[in-house]
Amino acid sequence: TLASEAEPAPSANDTFSGAAALSITFLQSYEQVGVLQITCLRGCECTQVTVDTRQPDAHFALLNTSELSVSQARECRVRLRNVSPANRAPGGTKIKISQLGV
């Protein structure tokens, strides 16, 4: 005979012990790319991070990965926002995200 006691289902805002890593892969280039701001909005917690995707000394483009420590939660809503200054030179302020992972 098996006996078990059901625990209440966790809600979307339940957090778990420890931390997780949010991995963001983006295009990094010497021109026409901007500044990315990463913010945790709901469910999980993290420190806001700003990533400048421009590398003016490099004369090539490549995919680069940045990791952000986030609290574990059943739901984690994150905002990725282009916060490039309007007068960013040369040529533009695009942000290209290739991959997100936890």
Side-chain angles (χ1 to χ4, degrees):
T1 303
L2 278 176
S4 66
E5 213 172 290
E7 293 183 17
S11 73
N13 290 329
D14 284 348
T15 57
F16 304 91
S17 62
L22 174 65
S23 173
I24 302 167
T25 302
F26 55 90
L27 177 68
Q28 191 159 38
S29 183
Y30 60 98
E31 66 179 2
Q32 299 182 352
V33 293
V35 179
L36 172 66
Q37 184 181 71
I38 308 160
T39 309
C40 290
L41 296 179
R42 185 175 11 158
C44 58
E45 295 178 2
C46 65
T47 301
Q48 180 175 292
V49 174
T50 302
V51 178
D52 190 346
T53 65
R54 186 173 67 167
Q55 289 292 318
D57 295 336
H59 291 285
F60 53 86
L62 55 87
L63 292 177
N64 197 352
T65 300
S66 188
E67 285 193 353
L68 173 66
S69 181
V70 298
S71 63
Q72 292 188 39
R74 176 133 337 259
E75 175 184 324
C76 184
R77 184 160 296 194
V78 176
R79 173 186 290 151
L80 305 176
R81 189 167 70 155
N82 185 339
V83 293
S84 304
N87 62 350
R88 177 98 173 191
T93 61
K94 68 184 171 193
I95 301 288
K96 289 192 174 185
I97 304 297
S98 171
Q99 183 175 358
L100 291 173
V102 179

